[in-house]
Amino acid sequence: MTANVAALLLQHYVDNFRRLPWRSTPGESPPDPYRVWLSEVMLQQTTVAAVVPRFDRFVARWPNVQALAGARDEDILSEWAGLGYYARARNLILCARQVARLGAFPDTAAELRKLPGVGDYTSAAIAAIAFGQRAAAVDTNVQRVVARLHGLREPSRSQIETAVFDMLPEGRAGDFTQAMMDLGATVCRPRAPACGVCPLSQHCLAFRSGDPQSFPAPKQRRERPHRYGVAYWVERDGQVWLTRRPNKGMLGGMSALPGSEWTVALPGDANAIGTVRHVFTHFSLDLHVVLKLEPTGEGWWHLISELDRAGLPTLYRRAADLALTRQQHAA
Ligand code: SF4
């Protein structure tokens, strides 16, 4: 069954593969590991549609790992602004510098796994796609496809990895890995899987059950804690006072509006002109935007007309937009 499944999957990939700027055409030489690594880091928690234009801009500016390793932290963080999950950007910088020191990306999953910000999935994906190594890249898409194929309700990670290894065809690890990713993203979707056009339906136990969507069983969601914070809008002569967040912690090293710590209780001076609600992975936040006359803390004046180039992450960009809109209405 497994060889047959791999052959069907590969043919479906050859016929339907998504052309993406970090990929090679099926059957051709593997893509540049730098591009594979960068795309995989960008794709963690961000959609393909959002990543493509940002990836193109990134590689136009820094076409290889040496160029990225030599760039200034602020420039990289600013180019990353809006992609979210900023710990990824900080690890990206550390990883680029480590690879530049090594001279090249390592070519095995075990060695790649030692690089900053490169976990089990990313190391396996780079090893398989860029170096053709037999490695099981298991993300949520692949986990879902395999769980459904084998009719597993609560599969363990090792069960999924074993099943992927069993299917991996000799000499086609890269195409197979990308084929699994594509099938999970476009056909075997979390809701309403398109079994009617799936090349694997004849082999799929979840399909045979009549209720494929119920595999694997949904995980219990944990309640997210809620926090509160204040961001100050300090404006003078067409400029706004910006600051840089501490390197450690949420949005570390990013440009920001000055403000309070984020706490479990509403801060005292929340005489706000409005509130931005933002959901992070582990908590949600109400950021109250407060007008202030004098600059606070270390920072710099930035032209409001050039706010797009300030490298503000989405949370602070939304807070800035809120302040600007409220002021327009008040004028
Ligand atoms: Fe997923 Fe349906 Fe294909 Fe099974 S037949 S792998 S459930 S899309």
PDB file of all heavy atoms in Angstrom, residues 144-146 148-149 183 187-189 192-208 211-213 215, ligand 1:
ATOM      1  N   ARG A 144      -2.310  15.532   9.938  1.00  0.00           N
ATOM      2  CA  ARG A 144      -3.728  15.304   9.614  1.00  0.00           C
ATOM      3  C   ARG A 144      -3.877  14.301   8.465  1.00  0.00           C
ATOM      4  O   ARG A 144      -4.683  13.370   8.541  1.00  0.00           O
ATOM      5  CB  ARG A 144      -4.371  16.642   9.238  1.00  0.00           C
ATOM      6  CG  ARG A 144      -5.844  16.552   8.977  1.00  0.00           C
ATOM      7  CD  ARG A 144      -6.444  17.935   8.797  1.00  0.00           C
ATOM      8  NE  ARG A 144      -5.868  18.658   7.680  1.00  0.00           N
ATOM      9  CZ  ARG A 144      -5.019  19.669   7.762  1.00  0.00           C
ATOM     10  NH1 ARG A 144      -4.607  20.104   8.931  1.00  0.00           N
ATOM     11  NH2 ARG A 144      -4.550  20.269   6.683  1.00  0.00           N
ATOM     12  N   VAL A 145      -3.079  14.481   7.404  1.00  0.00           N
ATOM     13  CA  VAL A 145      -3.189  13.577   6.254  1.00  0.00           C
ATOM     14  C   VAL A 145      -2.894  12.139   6.683  1.00  0.00           C
ATOM     15  O   VAL A 145      -3.644  11.211   6.358  1.00  0.00           O
ATOM     16  CB  VAL A 145      -2.214  14.001   5.123  1.00  0.00           C
ATOM     17  CG1 VAL A 145      -2.220  12.974   4.002  1.00  0.00           C
ATOM     18  CG2 VAL A 145      -2.571  15.377   4.583  1.00  0.00           C
ATOM     19  N   VAL A 146      -1.820  11.969   7.436  1.00  0.00           N
ATOM     20  CA  VAL A 146      -1.421  10.606   7.829  1.00  0.00           C
ATOM     21  C   VAL A 146      -2.449  10.005   8.784  1.00  0.00           C
ATOM     22  O   VAL A 146      -2.824   8.828   8.656  1.00  0.00           O
ATOM     23  CB  VAL A 146      -0.010  10.621   8.464  1.00  0.00           C
ATOM     24  CG1 VAL A 146       0.358   9.244   8.995  1.00  0.00           C
ATOM     25  CG2 VAL A 146       1.017  11.083   7.444  1.00  0.00           C
ATOM     26  N   ARG A 148      -5.561  10.573   8.917  1.00  0.00           N
ATOM     27  CA  ARG A 148      -6.762  10.187   8.152  1.00  0.00           C
ATOM     28  C   ARG A 148      -6.502   8.948   7.301  1.00  0.00           C
ATOM     29  O   ARG A 148      -7.314   8.027   7.270  1.00  0.00           O
ATOM     30  CB  ARG A 148      -7.204  11.368   7.279  1.00  0.00           C
ATOM     31  CG  ARG A 148      -7.843  12.467   8.124  1.00  0.00           C
ATOM     32  CD  ARG A 148      -8.204  13.675   7.310  1.00  0.00           C
ATOM     33  NE  ARG A 148      -8.899  14.654   8.140  1.00  0.00           N
ATOM     34  CZ  ARG A 148      -9.192  15.886   7.742  1.00  0.00           C
ATOM     35  NH1 ARG A 148      -8.867  16.294   6.524  1.00  0.00           N
ATOM     36  NH2 ARG A 148      -9.825  16.713   8.544  1.00  0.00           N
ATOM     37  N   LEU A 149      -5.343   8.952   6.639  1.00  0.00           N
ATOM     38  CA  LEU A 149      -5.015   7.785   5.802  1.00  0.00           C
ATOM     39  C   LEU A 149      -5.089   6.498   6.604  1.00  0.00           C
ATOM     40  O   LEU A 149      -5.621   5.491   6.152  1.00  0.00           O
ATOM     41  CB  LEU A 149      -3.580   7.940   5.299  1.00  0.00           C
ATOM     42  CG  LEU A 149      -3.336   8.396   3.868  1.00  0.00           C
ATOM     43  CD1 LEU A 149      -1.842   8.466   3.614  1.00  0.00           C
ATOM     44  CD2 LEU A 149      -4.007   7.456   2.878  1.00  0.00           C
ATOM     45  N   LEU A 183      -0.886  18.504  -0.333  1.00  0.00           N
ATOM     46  CA  LEU A 183      -2.140  17.765  -0.177  1.00  0.00           C
ATOM     47  C   LEU A 183      -2.872  18.234   1.089  1.00  0.00           C
ATOM     48  O   LEU A 183      -4.080  18.459   1.069  1.00  0.00           O
ATOM     49  CB  LEU A 183      -1.886  16.258  -0.112  1.00  0.00           C
ATOM     50  CG  LEU A 183      -3.156  15.435  -0.281  1.00  0.00           C
ATOM     51  CD1 LEU A 183      -3.506  15.281  -1.767  1.00  0.00           C
ATOM     52  CD2 LEU A 183      -3.038  14.050   0.349  1.00  0.00           C
ATOM     53  N   VAL A 187      -6.098  19.919  -0.354  1.00  0.00           N
ATOM     54  CA  VAL A 187      -7.091  18.857  -0.575  1.00  0.00           C
ATOM     55  C   VAL A 187      -7.587  18.296   0.763  1.00  0.00           C
ATOM     56  O   VAL A 187      -8.770  18.358   1.084  1.00  0.00           O
ATOM     57  CB  VAL A 187      -6.500  17.714  -1.443  1.00  0.00           C
ATOM     58  CG1 VAL A 187      -7.523  16.587  -1.622  1.00  0.00           C
ATOM     59  CG2 VAL A 187      -6.059  18.247  -2.798  1.00  0.00           C
ATOM     60  N   CYS A 188      -6.676  17.795   1.554  1.00  0.00           N
ATOM     61  CA  CYS A 188      -7.049  17.189   2.837  1.00  0.00           C
ATOM     62  C   CYS A 188      -7.073  18.284   3.908  1.00  0.00           C
ATOM     63  O   CYS A 188      -6.339  18.257   4.878  1.00  0.00           O
ATOM     64  CB  CYS A 188      -6.060  16.080   3.198  1.00  0.00           C
ATOM     65  SG  CYS A 188      -6.658  15.030   4.529  1.00  0.00           S
ATOM     66  N   ARG A 189      -7.965  19.262   3.693  1.00  0.00           N
ATOM     67  CA  ARG A 189      -8.037  20.432   4.576  1.00  0.00           C
ATOM     68  C   ARG A 189      -8.654  20.043   5.923  1.00  0.00           C
ATOM     69  O   ARG A 189      -9.367  19.040   6.002  1.00  0.00           O
ATOM     70  CB  ARG A 189      -8.901  21.507   3.907  1.00  0.00           C
ATOM     71  CG  ARG A 189      -8.365  21.923   2.553  1.00  0.00           C
ATOM     72  CD  ARG A 189      -9.366  22.790   1.831  1.00  0.00           C
ATOM     73  NE  ARG A 189     -10.631  22.090   1.651  1.00  0.00           N
ATOM     74  CZ  ARG A 189     -11.279  22.003   0.494  1.00  0.00           C
ATOM     75  NH1 ARG A 189     -10.778  22.545  -0.596  1.00  0.00           N
ATOM     76  NH2 ARG A 189     -12.439  21.375   0.413  1.00  0.00           N
ATOM     77  N   ALA A 192     -13.989  20.040   5.771  1.00  0.00           N
ATOM     78  CA  ALA A 192     -14.462  19.671   4.433  1.00  0.00           C
ATOM     79  C   ALA A 192     -13.320  19.218   3.518  1.00  0.00           C
ATOM     80  O   ALA A 192     -13.042  19.851   2.495  1.00  0.00           O
ATOM     81  CB  ALA A 192     -15.195  20.862   3.798  1.00  0.00           C
ATOM     82  N   PRO A 193     -12.643  18.132   3.864  1.00  0.00           N
ATOM     83  CA  PRO A 193     -11.592  17.620   2.963  1.00  0.00           C
ATOM     84  C   PRO A 193     -12.194  17.261   1.604  1.00  0.00           C
ATOM     85  O   PRO A 193     -13.316  16.741   1.540  1.00  0.00           O
ATOM     86  CB  PRO A 193     -11.073  16.369   3.692  1.00  0.00           C
ATOM     87  CG  PRO A 193     -12.138  16.001   4.679  1.00  0.00           C
ATOM     88  CD  PRO A 193     -12.828  17.275   5.046  1.00  0.00           C
ATOM     89  N   ALA A 194     -11.433  17.568   0.539  1.00  0.00           N
ATOM     90  CA  ALA A 194     -11.943  17.341  -0.821  1.00  0.00           C
ATOM     91  C   ALA A 194     -11.632  15.908  -1.269  1.00  0.00           C
ATOM     92  O   ALA A 194     -10.861  15.695  -2.219  1.00  0.00           O
ATOM     93  CB  ALA A 194     -11.336  18.375  -1.764  1.00  0.00           C
ATOM     94  N   CYS A 195     -12.227  14.950  -0.600  1.00  0.00           N
ATOM     95  CA  CYS A 195     -11.925  13.535  -0.875  1.00  0.00           C
ATOM     96  C   CYS A 195     -12.246  13.164  -2.323  1.00  0.00           C
ATOM     97  O   CYS A 195     -11.606  12.274  -2.887  1.00  0.00           O
ATOM     98  CB  CYS A 195     -12.690  12.632   0.083  1.00  0.00           C
ATOM     99  SG  CYS A 195     -12.343  12.996   1.815  1.00  0.00           S
ATOM    100  N   GLY A 196     -13.215  13.851  -2.911  1.00  0.00           N
ATOM    101  CA  GLY A 196     -13.608  13.544  -4.284  1.00  0.00           C
ATOM    102  C   GLY A 196     -12.480  13.729  -5.287  1.00  0.00           C
ATOM    103  O   GLY A 196     -12.474  13.080  -6.340  1.00  0.00           O
ATOM    104  N   VAL A 197     -11.532  14.611  -4.996  1.00  0.00           N
ATOM    105  CA  VAL A 197     -10.421  14.832  -5.932  1.00  0.00           C
ATOM    106  C   VAL A 197      -9.092  14.347  -5.343  1.00  0.00           C
ATOM    107  O   VAL A 197      -8.025  14.632  -5.889  1.00  0.00           O
ATOM    108  CB  VAL A 197     -10.288  16.332  -6.327  1.00  0.00           C
ATOM    109  CG1 VAL A 197     -11.517  16.803  -7.069  1.00  0.00           C
ATOM    110  CG2 VAL A 197     -10.015  17.203  -5.109  1.00  0.00           C
ATOM    111  N   CYS A 198      -9.172  13.623  -4.232  1.00  0.00           N
ATOM    112  CA  CYS A 198      -7.927  13.188  -3.571  1.00  0.00           C
ATOM    113  C   CYS A 198      -7.380  11.923  -4.226  1.00  0.00           C
ATOM    114  O   CYS A 198      -8.115  10.939  -4.396  1.00  0.00           O
ATOM    115  CB  CYS A 198      -8.187  12.941  -2.092  1.00  0.00           C
ATOM    116  SG  CYS A 198      -6.721  12.348  -1.234  1.00  0.00           S
ATOM    117  N   PRO A 199      -6.089  11.932  -4.562  1.00  0.00           N
ATOM    118  CA  PRO A 199      -5.519  10.750  -5.217  1.00  0.00           C
ATOM    119  C   PRO A 199      -5.411   9.547  -4.274  1.00  0.00           C
ATOM    120  O   PRO A 199      -5.178   8.429  -4.728  1.00  0.00           O
ATOM    121  CB  PRO A 199      -4.119  11.227  -5.637  1.00  0.00           C
ATOM    122  CG  PRO A 199      -3.774  12.309  -4.651  1.00  0.00           C
ATOM    123  CD  PRO A 199      -5.083  12.987  -4.329  1.00  0.00           C
ATOM    124  N   LEU A 200      -5.573   9.781  -2.963  1.00  0.00           N
ATOM    125  CA  LEU A 200      -5.345   8.702  -1.993  1.00  0.00           C
ATOM    126  C   LEU A 200      -6.641   8.099  -1.464  1.00  0.00           C
ATOM    127  O   LEU A 200      -6.600   7.237  -0.575  1.00  0.00           O
ATOM    128  CB  LEU A 200      -4.505   9.232  -0.818  1.00  0.00           C
ATOM    129  CG  LEU A 200      -3.237  10.007  -1.175  1.00  0.00           C
ATOM    130  CD1 LEU A 200      -2.475  10.384   0.086  1.00  0.00           C
ATOM    131  CD2 LEU A 200      -2.346   9.186  -2.111  1.00  0.00           C
ATOM    132  N   SER A 201      -7.775   8.521  -1.983  1.00  0.00           N
ATOM    133  CA  SER A 201      -9.045   8.137  -1.359  1.00  0.00           C
ATOM    134  C   SER A 201      -9.230   6.613  -1.302  1.00  0.00           C
ATOM    135  O   SER A 201      -9.789   6.101  -0.330  1.00  0.00           O
ATOM    136  CB  SER A 201     -10.224   8.801  -2.054  1.00  0.00           C
ATOM    137  OG  SER A 201     -10.224   8.472  -3.415  1.00  0.00           O
ATOM    138  N   GLN A 202      -8.725   5.904  -2.302  1.00  0.00           N
ATOM    139  CA  GLN A 202      -8.918   4.444  -2.308  1.00  0.00           C
ATOM    140  C   GLN A 202      -8.152   3.762  -1.168  1.00  0.00           C
ATOM    141  O   GLN A 202      -8.433   2.619  -0.830  1.00  0.00           O
ATOM    142  CB  GLN A 202      -8.439   3.848  -3.653  1.00  0.00           C
ATOM    143  CG  GLN A 202      -9.298   4.254  -4.840  1.00  0.00           C
ATOM    144  CD  GLN A 202     -10.777   3.948  -4.609  1.00  0.00           C
ATOM    145  OE1 GLN A 202     -11.137   2.832  -4.263  1.00  0.00           O
ATOM    146  NE2 GLN A 202     -11.622   4.966  -4.781  1.00  0.00           N
ATOM    147  N   HIS A 203      -7.166   4.461  -0.615  1.00  0.00           N
ATOM    148  CA  HIS A 203      -6.335   3.870   0.446  1.00  0.00           C
ATOM    149  C   HIS A 203      -6.649   4.467   1.822  1.00  0.00           C
ATOM    150  O   HIS A 203      -5.958   4.154   2.782  1.00  0.00           O
ATOM    151  CB  HIS A 203      -4.851   4.112   0.143  1.00  0.00           C
ATOM    152  CG  HIS A 203      -4.410   3.487  -1.134  1.00  0.00           C
ATOM    153  ND1 HIS A 203      -3.998   2.179  -1.227  1.00  0.00           N
ATOM    154  CD2 HIS A 203      -4.359   3.995  -2.390  1.00  0.00           C
ATOM    155  CE1 HIS A 203      -3.682   1.902  -2.477  1.00  0.00           C
ATOM    156  NE2 HIS A 203      -3.899   2.989  -3.207  1.00  0.00           N
ATOM    157  N   CYS A 204      -7.625   5.359   1.871  1.00  0.00           N
ATOM    158  CA  CYS A 204      -7.792   6.170   3.080  1.00  0.00           C
ATOM    159  C   CYS A 204      -8.886   5.603   3.993  1.00  0.00           C
ATOM    160  O   CYS A 204     -10.056   5.532   3.616  1.00  0.00           O
ATOM    161  CB  CYS A 204      -8.147   7.600   2.662  1.00  0.00           C
ATOM    162  SG  CYS A 204      -8.418   8.680   4.074  1.00  0.00           S
ATOM    163  N   LEU A 205      -8.477   5.262   5.222  1.00  0.00           N
ATOM    164  CA  LEU A 205      -9.431   4.668   6.163  1.00  0.00           C
ATOM    165  C   LEU A 205     -10.437   5.703   6.668  1.00  0.00           C
ATOM    166  O   LEU A 205     -11.596   5.372   6.914  1.00  0.00           O
ATOM    167  CB  LEU A 205      -8.674   4.042   7.347  1.00  0.00           C
ATOM    168  CG  LEU A 205      -7.766   2.856   6.992  1.00  0.00           C
ATOM    169  CD1 LEU A 205      -7.142   2.257   8.245  1.00  0.00           C
ATOM    170  CD2 LEU A 205      -8.554   1.767   6.249  1.00  0.00           C
ATOM    171  N   ALA A 206     -10.001   6.938   6.818  1.00  0.00           N
ATOM    172  CA  ALA A 206     -10.943   7.975   7.272  1.00  0.00           C
ATOM    173  C   ALA A 206     -12.019   8.190   6.214  1.00  0.00           C
ATOM    174  O   ALA A 206     -13.199   8.351   6.536  1.00  0.00           O
ATOM    175  CB  ALA A 206     -10.196   9.279   7.545  1.00  0.00           C
ATOM    176  N   PHE A 207     -11.639   8.176   4.956  1.00  0.00           N
ATOM    177  CA  PHE A 207     -12.609   8.316   3.863  1.00  0.00           C
ATOM    178  C   PHE A 207     -13.605   7.161   3.905  1.00  0.00           C
ATOM    179  O   PHE A 207     -14.819   7.337   3.800  1.00  0.00           O
ATOM    180  CB  PHE A 207     -11.867   8.355   2.523  1.00  0.00           C
ATOM    181  CG  PHE A 207     -12.783   8.381   1.326  1.00  0.00           C
ATOM    182  CD1 PHE A 207     -13.661   9.431   1.125  1.00  0.00           C
ATOM    183  CD2 PHE A 207     -12.755   7.344   0.402  1.00  0.00           C
ATOM    184  CE1 PHE A 207     -14.505   9.450   0.016  1.00  0.00           C
ATOM    185  CE2 PHE A 207     -13.594   7.353  -0.701  1.00  0.00           C
ATOM    186  CZ  PHE A 207     -14.476   8.411  -0.891  1.00  0.00           C
ATOM    187  N   ARG A 208     -13.071   5.981   4.137  1.00  0.00           N
ATOM    188  CA  ARG A 208     -13.918   4.790   4.170  1.00  0.00           C
ATOM    189  C   ARG A 208     -14.909   4.847   5.339  1.00  0.00           C
ATOM    190  O   ARG A 208     -15.987   4.285   5.286  1.00  0.00           O
ATOM    191  CB  ARG A 208     -13.032   3.537   4.304  1.00  0.00           C
ATOM    192  CG  ARG A 208     -13.498   2.406   3.392  1.00  0.00           C
ATOM    193  CD  ARG A 208     -12.557   1.233   3.458  1.00  0.00           C
ATOM    194  NE  ARG A 208     -11.356   1.406   2.662  1.00  0.00           N
ATOM    195  CZ  ARG A 208     -10.292   0.615   2.709  1.00  0.00           C
ATOM    196  NH1 ARG A 208     -10.257  -0.401   3.545  1.00  0.00           N
ATOM    197  NH2 ARG A 208      -9.255   0.837   1.938  1.00  0.00           N
ATOM    198  N   ASP A 211     -16.784   9.669   7.568  1.00  0.00           N
ATOM    199  CA  ASP A 211     -16.695  10.952   8.269  1.00  0.00           C
ATOM    200  C   ASP A 211     -15.218  11.359   8.403  1.00  0.00           C
ATOM    201  O   ASP A 211     -14.675  11.423   9.504  1.00  0.00           O
ATOM    202  CB  ASP A 211     -17.341  10.825   9.663  1.00  0.00           C
ATOM    203  CG  ASP A 211     -17.415  12.166  10.378  1.00  0.00           C
ATOM    204  OD1 ASP A 211     -17.209  13.207   9.717  1.00  0.00           O
ATOM    205  OD2 ASP A 211     -17.657  12.173  11.596  1.00  0.00           O
ATOM    206  N   PRO A 212     -14.552  11.613   7.249  1.00  0.00           N
ATOM    207  CA  PRO A 212     -13.103  11.854   7.294  1.00  0.00           C
ATOM    208  C   PRO A 212     -12.708  13.047   8.148  1.00  0.00           C
ATOM    209  O   PRO A 212     -11.655  13.039   8.782  1.00  0.00           O
ATOM    210  CB  PRO A 212     -12.740  12.091   5.819  1.00  0.00           C
ATOM    211  CG  PRO A 212     -14.025  12.398   5.129  1.00  0.00           C
ATOM    212  CD  PRO A 212     -15.096  11.694   5.888  1.00  0.00           C
ATOM    213  N   GLN A 213     -13.583  14.044   8.197  1.00  0.00           N
ATOM    214  CA  GLN A 213     -13.230  15.257   8.945  1.00  0.00           C
ATOM    215  C   GLN A 213     -13.041  15.003  10.444  1.00  0.00           C
ATOM    216  O   GLN A 213     -12.367  15.762  11.127  1.00  0.00           O
ATOM    217  CB  GLN A 213     -14.334  16.298   8.727  1.00  0.00           C
ATOM    218  CG  GLN A 213     -13.997  17.650   9.299  1.00  0.00           C
ATOM    219  CD  GLN A 213     -15.081  18.660   9.002  1.00  0.00           C
ATOM    220  OE1 GLN A 213     -15.427  18.858   7.844  1.00  0.00           O
ATOM    221  NE2 GLN A 213     -15.593  19.309  10.027  1.00  0.00           N
ATOM    222  N   PHE A 215     -11.274  12.855  11.795  1.00  0.00           N
ATOM    223  CA  PHE A 215      -9.907  12.353  12.079  1.00  0.00           C
ATOM    224  C   PHE A 215      -8.905  13.475  11.852  1.00  0.00           C
ATOM    225  O   PHE A 215      -9.035  14.196  10.860  1.00  0.00           O
ATOM    226  CB  PHE A 215      -9.550  11.197  11.137  1.00  0.00           C
ATOM    227  CG  PHE A 215     -10.358   9.960  11.352  1.00  0.00           C
ATOM    228  CD1 PHE A 215     -11.603   9.821  10.761  1.00  0.00           C
ATOM    229  CD2 PHE A 215      -9.881   8.928  12.142  1.00  0.00           C
ATOM    230  CE1 PHE A 215     -12.352   8.680  10.958  1.00  0.00           C
ATOM    231  CE2 PHE A 215     -10.630   7.779  12.332  1.00  0.00           C
ATOM    232  CZ  PHE A 215     -11.875   7.655  11.733  1.00  0.00           C
TER     233      PHE A 215
HETATM  234 FE1  SF4 B   1      -7.805  13.364   3.258  1.00  0.00          FE
HETATM  235 FE2  SF4 B   1     -10.070  12.600   2.075  1.00  0.00          FE
HETATM  236 FE3  SF4 B   1      -7.708  12.211   0.871  1.00  0.00          FE
HETATM  237 FE4  SF4 B   1      -8.389  10.790   3.018  1.00  0.00          FE
HETATM  238  S1  SF4 B   1      -9.406  10.777   1.029  1.00  0.00           S
HETATM  239  S2  SF4 B   1      -6.401  11.748   2.607  1.00  0.00           S
HETATM  240  S3  SF4 B   1      -9.516  12.304   4.210  1.00  0.00           S
HETATM  241  S4  SF4 B   1      -8.673  14.201   1.360  1.00  0.00           S
END
